[in-house]
Every structure is written in structure tokens, then in C-alpha cells.
């Protein structure tokens, strides 16, 4: 049912209006004053203002009553509810089940009304303190009572009607992801207004047609007029942007701003750069607008059936819309939503960026193994699919799973994979991870190697010319069953290292930016819905609970695997290189692992060289850290 709370300072007409509304709705009317404990009534009679401590039990009683009324016929309650924290306490039932009706007017008008009241224990002198205490709600229906009673009730009824037709969330940008998320939201009972811009001859009536298409199952309000779209949303507004990352996000924000009010919220669900997100949040905060940069992973299908969601930015905003996001998110094995507040400012988009970085690494790993099998061992796509299927019994990796489907897809009886041009495209998020690692001064070998592999793949013509020039270094040979097992172990080891590298970057960024990130929780929201979900991600949830501070590679369970798989990894890399096949991610995983486990690195030579030509100084092994030395390596000749 529904509870209407008529609120405002004393003398504003809560009881009169509340009773009339209760009649209209055929529900009982209650006056919150009737629930005060005796000692509060006494205090008020004596003209002593109530303290928060006095209100505590009273509000508790009321919040229990509200739950009770909501379970029965609903109710109208007249209650001053002057402070936000009182209202929060009264909000003991789902937000949608309460309508706040805020009656207000100027102090002088109410004072005059109160002074003419008889038989009421409220002393007019208390009015001033009520105005001081009053925190105007940023939501609900606001009606100025300086008009006739009939008019007040009429206004409330009109606004309530409008309000009930308003959407909980507005979604802008009906590309594949936007459309799928809109349907997902609607299927979970969230009312959605959708907007798509109008571009002559290109994007015409997109939102209206979308609403029409789904008319049988869901109600969408579709707009290509921004003002009408914004007006169709419940206040404070929640607007989800599903537009292309980059300039478009700024342009949309700019066009929305004049129509927004304090406490309205913009959620950017695209793959935006985390620094843009941090900038936008700061900029909007100054204007009283909330902003959340939210990573969404899972492609079109995920968006429709349940993506992994990585919200960052305003935590206050997450409290408001977290419920919607969690409703549409994929569920983990325990049935919990694969959506959790990640951290402030750009944290959500940073984490999504690294997700994509790991994704690049995993994709390239599979591609390298496929490439070696297809061209060196000359296995057919079907044979490789069968092998991958075996591997995936253990790996349970979504990317391996789709690769199996890809390898089995035929066109006119021939494998489609053989017809696809070997030049990879990218939208940049993998490379952004590399930039972030460079800025933070942390290693990112596998992810960077995967980005570079895409870059060199783009030089198709040059590669063909170079292959001819060097008379192709790639050899062909059958591979033994033992080697295909070794290949699996190598793939597994490199995948573990690739994940460890990604999580290390997240950990370092969390420290640098003070984001207080929970790595295990990040792994948990990646166990379903997203592109890098796998059995290993499930393991990481537990591993990271135990050792969130160190590197994943130091966990005993991981070292057990890597000690065994190191040989297959290095052997595979050696074999691939010897036979003329590039394995950039496999080899960078191997190199990273060796560098990570080498107590003695080669950097003493680097330091000496730097000092030699640039007097950059060096630290010594026989002296405490932090002391720097310079050697005059060779006298400089005049
Ligand atoms: C996801 C994907 C998604 C998208 C990438 C692809 O998590 O759902 O990562 O965000 O597919 O943007 O990126 P590239 O075009 O750079 O490969």
C-alpha cells in the first residue's frame, strides 16, 4: 500500500489537509503528535523546544507504525519531519511506498495563523525554532499553503498524479547497451524514460520506436526532446548516460545542466576515462549535482540479462540508486548482485579500465595459443575448439567459451575464423591501463604486450612485406599430445600472471588515490556478468580476502600452481619463438614472473649507466637505502 506523509512546520495545515487527503484516498488519517510520549507533550505545553533525544522514541514508534499501515490499507500521516534525519528514520518502507507532501509558506503568514489558534498546546514562539530546524526536502511534492484549502488539495492531487506517472530513472542513448539496460531495468520493475537524440536522416524517432516495440511487455516513455525527457523523471532525478565515452559525455552533461536541480544525479555508464570521471564529479558537485562514473561490463547480452556493474563516485548517490543497479546486475554464486560501490571519484571507471586491460591480456593469450595451434601445428578450427573445450572444463572462462563458439562457426561450410582479417581494433581502455601504470610507476607487462600486439596487427601490409623480405620464419610441425598439455599449463600460468598484474595496478591506484578499494569485492563482482568471468576469478575472491596487501603471486595456492607451471610456460615460449611464432603475452608473462621472482635484477647496471653519463647517483648494497652516491667514472677531458 502507500503512506502519504504531510510535513512542514507547525501551523502550516498538516492536519486539515491530511484529513482531506485521507478522505480522498479512503485511508485512515493519523497525527504524529498523538504518538508523542507524555513527557514530550508536557515539554511542548511549557513551550520548551524538543531535543533530538526526546524525538528518538517518538520517531521509532512512528516508523514502526508506518510499516504497519503500509502492510494494511495505507495511511495519511501528518508529521512535521523537519530534519532530513527524522525523515530518514520514518522511511522504514521502500522509497516508492511513501509520498512526501511538504506544505510551506512564509514565516509571517504561519505566525499569524498560529496566533489565532485556540486550544492547541503549541506555543507560537516555538515557530521560529521550527523554521531554523527545517531542512527543506529535495524531493516530494511541495505546495505553498498561502491559498484556499480546496486549491491546496487540488494542487496536491495534480502533482501526485503527475508524480505517479514519472519515471524512476531516465536513460540517455539507445545504442545496443542502452537499449538492453533499459529493458533490463523495466523487467525488474523500475520505470524508465528513454531519450535518444534526433539526427536528421540518421537517428529519427529512435526512443519513440523503442517504446512502441516493447509496448506489449513494458511501459517506456520515449523522447527526443530533452526538456520533456527531464520533466518526465521523478525528483530528484536519476539519469543514466549510455553515450559514447569522450566529448559526447561532456556535451550531454552541458545540455542537461540548465534543466537539472540540486541533488539530481547523473550516472555515466560508458567506458569513460577515470580522470574525466573525477573531473566531471568535481565540476558537478560544485553545482549541487551528484555524479557517478560506473563501469558496466558484459556486452549486449550482459546488459540485458545482468551485467557486472562497477559504480564509483558519490556514495550518497549510490545509496539512492544502488537498489536499481543491484536489481539489474548479474548474480554471483551466492545469489548476491555483481554490483557494489567501488570507491570515490574515478574509482569505478578505473576498475572497469583494468577489467578491460585484463580482458585484452586474456583475449591475446587465447589468440596466441590458437595462432600457434592453427598455423604451426596446422590444427583445424574444430580441433582447436575441441581442445579448448577440454581446457574450459577447468578454466570456466567466458572468453574461452566464446572462442570455442567462434572456432565452430561456419559460413558456407567453411570456418568463419579463417575469413576474418587479422588486424585488431580497439577503443583504448587497454592502453589507458598502460598509461595509468606508467604514471604510477608500476609494471603492467602482459596488458601492455596485449595492447602492442593489437597495434602491430594493424600494420597488415607492412607485415606481409616483411614476411616476404625475411622469407617467413614460421615453421610447420605436428605437435604431440604432451605438448598440447604443456600449452594448457602455459596458458593457465600466463592467465594467472595477467590477473595478478591487473590486480596489482588496482591496488597501487587505490593506495595512491586513497580509494580504500576492496580487491576481493572487486573480484566478486567480476565472477559473473562481465567478460573476464572465470573459475579463477572465483578463486581470487577468496585469495584476495586473505592477502589483499601483497601480490596475488605470493599466495601459497598460486605459488603451488606456478612452481609446477613455470616450466611449461618457459618451454612453450621458447618453442614458439624457435618456430617463428610471436607470443607477446605468454612471453611477457614469463618475463614478468622471472623479474618478479629475481632477488637480483639487472638494474644495478642501469643505475651505473645513469650515473656515468648524467651523474644521477645510485644507492649501494653495502650502505643503507636512501643514501645516494656518485662516482666520477672517468675524468672529463677539457
Ligand atoms: C565489457 C567490454 C566492453 C567493450 C570494450 C571492448 O566489459 O563489456 O570490455 O566494455 O567490449 O570496450 O573494447 P575494445 O574495443 O577496446 O576491444
Amino acid at each position: 500500500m502507500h503512506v502519504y506523509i504531510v510535513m512542514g512546520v507547525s501551523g502550516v495545515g498538516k492536519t486539515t489537509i491530511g484529513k482531506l487527503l485521507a478522505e480522498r484516498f479512503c485511508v485512515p488519517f493519523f497525527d504524529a503528535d498523538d504518538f508523542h510520549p507524555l513527557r514530550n507533550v508536557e515539554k511542548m505545553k511549557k513551550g520548551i523546544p524538543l531535543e533530538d533525544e526526546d524525538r528518538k522514541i517518538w520517531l521509532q514508534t512512528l516508523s514502526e507504525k508506518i510499516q504497519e499501515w503500509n502492510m494494511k490499507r495505507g495511511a495519511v500521516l501528518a508529521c512535521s519531519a523537519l530534519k532530513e534525519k527524522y525523515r530518514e528514520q520514518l522511511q522504514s518502507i521502500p522509497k516508492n511506498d511513501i509520498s512526501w507532501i511538504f506544505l510551506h509558506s512564509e514565516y509571517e503568514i504561519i505566525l499569524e495563523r498560529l496566533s489565532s489558534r485556540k486550544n492547541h498546546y503549541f506555543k507560537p514562539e516555538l515557530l521560529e525554532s521550527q523554521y531554523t530546524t527545517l531542512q527543506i526536502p529535495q524531493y516530494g511534492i511541495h505546495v505553498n499553503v498561502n491559498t484556499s484549502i480546496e486549491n491546496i488539495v487540488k494542487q496536491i492531487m495534480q502533482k501526485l498524479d503527475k508524480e505517479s506517472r514519472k519515471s524512476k530513472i531516465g536513460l540517455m542513448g539507445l545504442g545496443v547497451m542502452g537499449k538492453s539496460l533499459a529493458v533490463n531495468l523495466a523487467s525488474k520493475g523500475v520505470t524508465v524514460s528513454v531519450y535518444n537524440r534526433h539526427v536528421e536522416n540518421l537517428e529519427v524517432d529512435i526512443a519513440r520506436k523503442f517504446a512502441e516495440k516493447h509496448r506489449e511487455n513494458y511501459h517506456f516513455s520515449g523522447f527526443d526532446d530533452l526538456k520533456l525527457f527531464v520533466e518526465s523523471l521523478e525528483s530528484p532525478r536519476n539519469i543514466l548516460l549510455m553515450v559514447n565515452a569522450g566529448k559526447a559525455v561532456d556535451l550531454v552533461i552541458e545540455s542537461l545542466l540548465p534543466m537539472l536541480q540540486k541533488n539530481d544525479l547523473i550516472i555515466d555508464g560508458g567506458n569513460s576515462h577515470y580522470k574525466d570521471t573525477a573531473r566531471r564529479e568535481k565540476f558537478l558537485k560544485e553545482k549541487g549535482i551528484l555524479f557517478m562514473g560506473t563501469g558496466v561490463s558484459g556486452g549486449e547480452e550482459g546488459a540485458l540479462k545482468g551485467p557486472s556493474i562497477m559504480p564509483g563516485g558519490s556514495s550518497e548517490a549510490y545509496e539512492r540508486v544502488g537498489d536499481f543497479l543491484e536489481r539489474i546486475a548479474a548474480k554471483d554464486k551466492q545469489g548476491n548482485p555483481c554490483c557494489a560501490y567501488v570507491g570515490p571519484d574515478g574509482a569505478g571507471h578505473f576498475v572497469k579500465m583494468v577489467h578491460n586491460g585484463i580482458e585484452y591480456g586474456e583475449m591475446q593469450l587465447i589468440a596466441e595459443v590458437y595462432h600457434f595451434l592453427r598455423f604451426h601445428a596446422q590444427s583445424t578450427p574444430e580441433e582447436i575448439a575441441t581442445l579448448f573445450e577440454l581446457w574450459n572444463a577447468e578454466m570456466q572462462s567466458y572468453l574461452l567459451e566464446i572462442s570455442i563458439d567462434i572456432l565452430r562457426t561456419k559460413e558456407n561450410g567453411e570456418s568463419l575464423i579463417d575469413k576474418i582479417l587479422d588486424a585488431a581494433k580497439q577503443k583504448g581502455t587497454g592502453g589507458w591501463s598502460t598509461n595509468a601504470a606508467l604514471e604510477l610507476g608500476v609494471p603492467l607487462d602482459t596488458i601492455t604486450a596485449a595492447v602492442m600486439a593489437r597495434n602491430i596487427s594493424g600494420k597488415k601490409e607492412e607485415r606481409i612485406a616483411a614476411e616476404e623480405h625475411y622469407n617467413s620464419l614460421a615453421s610447420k610441425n605436428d605437435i604431440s599430445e604432451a605438448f598440447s598439455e604443456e600449452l594448457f599449463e602455459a596458458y593457465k600460468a600466463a592467465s594467472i600472471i595477467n590477473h595478478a598484474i591487473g590486480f596489482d595496478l588496482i591496488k597501487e591506484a587505490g593506495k595512491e588515490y586513497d580509494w580504500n578499494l576492496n580487491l576481493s569485492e572487486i573480484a566478486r563482482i567480476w565472477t559473473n556478468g562481465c567478460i573476464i568471468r572465470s573459475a579463477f576469478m572465483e578463486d581470487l575472491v577468496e585469495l584476495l580476502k586473505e592477502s589483499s596487501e601483497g601480490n596475488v603471486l605470493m599466495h601459497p595456492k598460486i605459488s603451488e600452481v606456478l612452481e609446477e607451471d613455470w616450466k611449461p610456460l618457459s618451454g612453450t615460449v621458447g618453442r614458439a619463438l624457435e618456430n617463428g611464432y610471436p607470443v607477446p603475452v605468454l612471453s611477457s608473462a614469463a618475463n614478468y614472473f622471472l623479474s618478479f621472482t629475481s632477488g637480483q635484477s639487472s638494474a644495478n647496471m642501469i643505475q651505473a649507466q645513469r650515473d656515468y653519463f648524467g651523474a644521477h647517483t645510485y644507492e649501494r648494497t653495502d650502505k643503507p637505502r636512501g643514501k645516494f652516491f656518485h662516482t666520477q667514472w672517468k675524468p672529463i677531458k677539457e
Side-chain angles (χ1 to χ4, degrees):
M1 294 316 277
H2 203 87
V3 177
Y4 301 84
I5 303 185
V6 186
M7 58 155 294
V9 296
S10 209
V12 81
K14 299 187 290 291
T15 311
T16 315
I17 302 296
K19 279 183 178 162
L20 287 170
L21 288 176
E23 262 173 44
R24 295 256 181 149
F25 302 137
C26 299
V27 295
F29 169 80
F30 298 97
D31 192 329
D33 283 348
D34 296 339
F35 296 85
H36 269 295
L38 214 63
R39 51 182 276 257
N40 286 4
V41 179
E42 291 302 321
K43 249 187 164 178
M44 288 191 282
K45 270 187 187 162
K46 286 185 200 150
I48 310 167
L50 294 183
E51 306 283 328
D52 274 358
E53 202 46 42
D54 301 320
R55 290 192 181 91
K56 222 168 167 182
I57 310 168
W58 173 59
L59 286 168
Q60 183 54 34
T61 313
L62 283 173
S63 85
E64 281 161 19
K65 286 282 166 200
I66 287 170
Q67 286 178 17
E68 194 184 305
W69 300 329
N70 195 40
M71 299 288 284
K72 295 179 183 166
R73 291 173 53 203
V76 173
L77 171 72
C79 177
S80 51
L82 298 182
K83 283 194 193 173
E84 189 56 35
K85 69 173 183 189
Y86 307 155
R87 296 190 287 266
E88 272 167 17
Q89 214 177 328
L90 295 180
Q91 189 72 60
S92 55
I93 54 176
K95 278 212 165 72
N96 301 350
D97 293 352
I98 286 191
S99 291
W100 293 93
I101 300 164
F102 172 51
L103 304 182
H104 61 93
S105 201
E106 290 73 32
Y107 171 78
E108 292 71 24
I109 292 169
I110 306 297
L111 184 66
E112 202 185 304
R113 281 196 191 179
L114 275 174
S115 314
S116 58
R117 261 198 203 183
K118 291 195 184 91
N119 305 327
H120 192 273
Y121 55 68
F122 186 87
K123 293 251 166 54
E125 303 86 68
L126 289 184
L127 186 63
E128 204 164 321
S129 97
Q130 292 232 333
Y131 268 87
T132 326
T133 313
L134 173 68
Q135 291 167 347
I136 297 173
Q138 302 296 326
Y139 43 82
I141 287 166
H142 294 211
V143 177
N144 190 322
V145 295
N146 195 11
T147 177
S148 69
I149 289 181
E150 296 73 46
N151 211 356
I152 297 170
V153 174
K154 192 169 144 207
Q155 275 189 51
I156 294 175
M157 294 308 285
Q158 275 171 353
K159 289 190 179 183
L160 272 175
D161 186 37
K162 248 189 176 174
E163 196 69 13
S164 66
R165 279 191 275 118
K166 286 192 172 176
S167 305
K168 297 275 169 220
I169 209 160
L171 188 147
M172 294 181 75
L174 289 175
V176 277
M177 291 294 280
K179 279 183 179 155
S180 302
L181 282 178
V183 173
N184 189 349
L185 279 160
S187 73
K188 303 293 180 318
V190 183
T191 47
V192 191
S193 288
V194 288
Y195 168 89
N196 200 87
R197 65 181 179 175
H198 173 91
V199 183
E200 207 58 45
N201 298 327
L202 282 174
E203 293 176 52
V204 180
D205 261 349
I206 303 275
R208 203 185 47 76
K209 284 181 192 151
F210 173 79
E212 185 59 30
K213 182 177 166 205
H214 293 278
R215 198 165 49 98
E216 297 251 312
N217 299 318
Y218 308 112
H219 170 75
F220 288 108
S221 310
F223 301 90
D224 60 8
D225 180 307
L226 199 55
K227 190 160 177 287
L228 294 180
F229 165 73
V230 172
E231 280 171 4
S232 77
L233 304 175
E234 214 177 86
S235 243
R237 303 179 181 96
N238 304 313
I239 300 177
L240 172 60
L241 308 186
M242 291 307 297
V243 298
N244 285 338
K247 195 81 202 114
V249 178
D250 288 315
L251 291 176
V252 172
I253 291 175
E254 231 169 78
S255 60
L256 274 172
L257 260 182
M259 299 169 203
L260 299 186
Q261 285 164 356
K262 204 164 167 276
N263 262 334
D264 283 350
L265 161 68
I266 299 177
I267 308 165
D268 175 13
N271 272 332
S272 289
H273 193 281
Y274 68 101
K275 286 190 180 171
D276 284 336
T277 300
R279 166 178 62 79
R280 287 170 187 142
E281 201 212 342
K282 195 159 166 266
F283 165 75
L284 288 167
K285 201 178 195 166
E286 284 160 13
K287 306 203 164 343
I289 308 291
L290 305 175
F291 186 71
M292 268 168 59
T294 298
V296 179
S297 175
E300 187 181 354
E301 195 185 358
L304 183 65
K305 296 185 181 158
S308 164
I309 308 181
M310 295 145 250
S314 157
S315 56
E316 184 189 344
Y318 189 73
E319 278 179 28
R320 196 159 93 203
V321 289
D323 171 50
F324 300 151
L325 298 179
E326 290 176 16
R327 271 197 239 177
I328 62 167
K331 301 290 172 285
D332 69 11
K333 285 219 163 114
Q334 277 67 43
N336 298 315
C338 290
C339 168
Y341 175 69
V342 175
D345 55 78
H349 273 141
F350 189 95
V351 164
K352 174 61 176 36
M353 172 190 82
V354 182
H355 166 282
N356 284 23
I358 297 174
E359 172 188 299
Y360 273 49
E362 294 301 299
M363 289 166 76
Q364 178 63 27
L365 266 179
I366 296 172
E368 285 169 19
V369 173
Y370 145 79
H371 184 244
F372 191 63
L373 288 167
R374 181 79 185 101
F375 299 100
H376 177 67
Q378 296 189 283
S379 308
T380 63
E382 180 56 45
E383 284 164 347
I384 304 171
T386 308
L387 185 68
F388 281 2
E389 208 161 39
L390 271 174
W391 296 5
N392 215 23
E394 179 177 336
M395 303 300 283
Q396 302 280 301
S397 144
Y398 169 74
L399 282 169
L400 207 47
E401 181 189 316
I402 64 164
S403 306
I404 296 165
D405 282 348
I406 290 166
L407 288 163
R408 294 215 164 111
T409 301
K410 299 248 173 10
E411 195 187 67
N412 304 325
E414 290 173 27
S415 290
L416 180 56
I417 185 75
D418 290 342
K419 301 254 177 328
I420 294 180
L421 185 78
D422 54 332
K425 295 272 184 282
Q426 54 190 313
K427 293 199 204 79
T429 41
W432 292 350
S433 299
T434 300
N435 286 341
L438 290 175
E439 272 180 34
L440 292 163
V442 297
L444 201 75
D445 301 43
T446 49
I447 293 173
T448 306
V451 178
M452 298 308 156
R454 288 199 192 186
N455 289 357
I456 199 163
S457 80
K459 292 173 167 276
K460 175 74 176 170
E461 284 73 28
E462 265 185 81
R463 286 192 287 112
I464 293 174
E467 185 183 56
E468 276 167 21
H469 182 78
Y470 282 97
N471 201 12
S472 183
L473 301 168
S475 66
K476 298 184 173 74
N477 211 338
D478 284 347
I479 62 164
S480 63
E481 199 169 311
F483 181 68
S484 66
E485 264 168 43
E486 190 171 302
L487 202 56
F488 174 50
E489 298 305 321
Y491 159 67
K492 202 163 73 178
S495 170
I496 291 175
I497 294 166
N498 181 46
H499 282 76
I501 288 173
F503 274 96
D504 194 47
L505 175 59
I506 295 177
K507 186 186 70 195
E508 295 297 341
K511 280 199 270 184
E512 175 69 21
Y513 300 122
D514 248 336
W515 282 339
N516 193 22
L517 301 178
N518 181 336
L519 297 192
S520 166
E521 188 63 355
I522 291 168
R524 189 193 64 74
I525 62 177
W526 286 350
T527 56
N528 202 4
C530 74
I531 304 295
I532 57 172
R533 58 188 189 256
S534 66
F536 182 53
M537 197 61 81
E538 301 277 353
D539 296 342
L540 278 173
V541 179
E542 294 310 314
L543 298 186
L544 288 163
K545 254 186 214 158
E546 293 161 29
S547 58
S548 59
E549 280 308 302
N551 191 301
V552 171
L553 299 181
M554 294 302 281
H555 194 283
K557 279 198 186 135
I558 296 295
S559 36
E560 213 175 281
V561 180
L562 287 180
E563 267 157 26
E564 214 164 90
D565 285 350
W566 164 245
K567 275 250 138 22
L569 176 58
S570 55
T572 300
V573 170
R575 186 157 173 166
L577 296 184
E578 264 168 31
N579 286 291
Y581 289 86
V583 279
V585 174
L586 279 164
S587 61
S588 66
N591 269 310
Y592 175 87
F593 184 67
L594 276 189
S595 300
F596 181 70
T597 53
S598 292
Q600 172 68 60
S601 79
S602 53
N604 45 343
M605 178 53 95
I606 303 289
Q607 285 297 77
Q609 290 164 340
R610 291 176 70 242
D611 190 56
Y612 190 113
F613 61 68
H616 294 299
T617 74
Y618 54 87
E619 290 170 284
R620 298 181 60 102
T621 54
D622 52 359
K623 294 279 187 288
R625 290 291 295 264
K627 286 205 173 310
F628 290 87
F629 299 88
H630 168 59
T631 296
Q632 193 59 45
W633 297 88
K634 217 166 126 188
I636 301 171
K637 287 195 192 120
E638 290 292 315

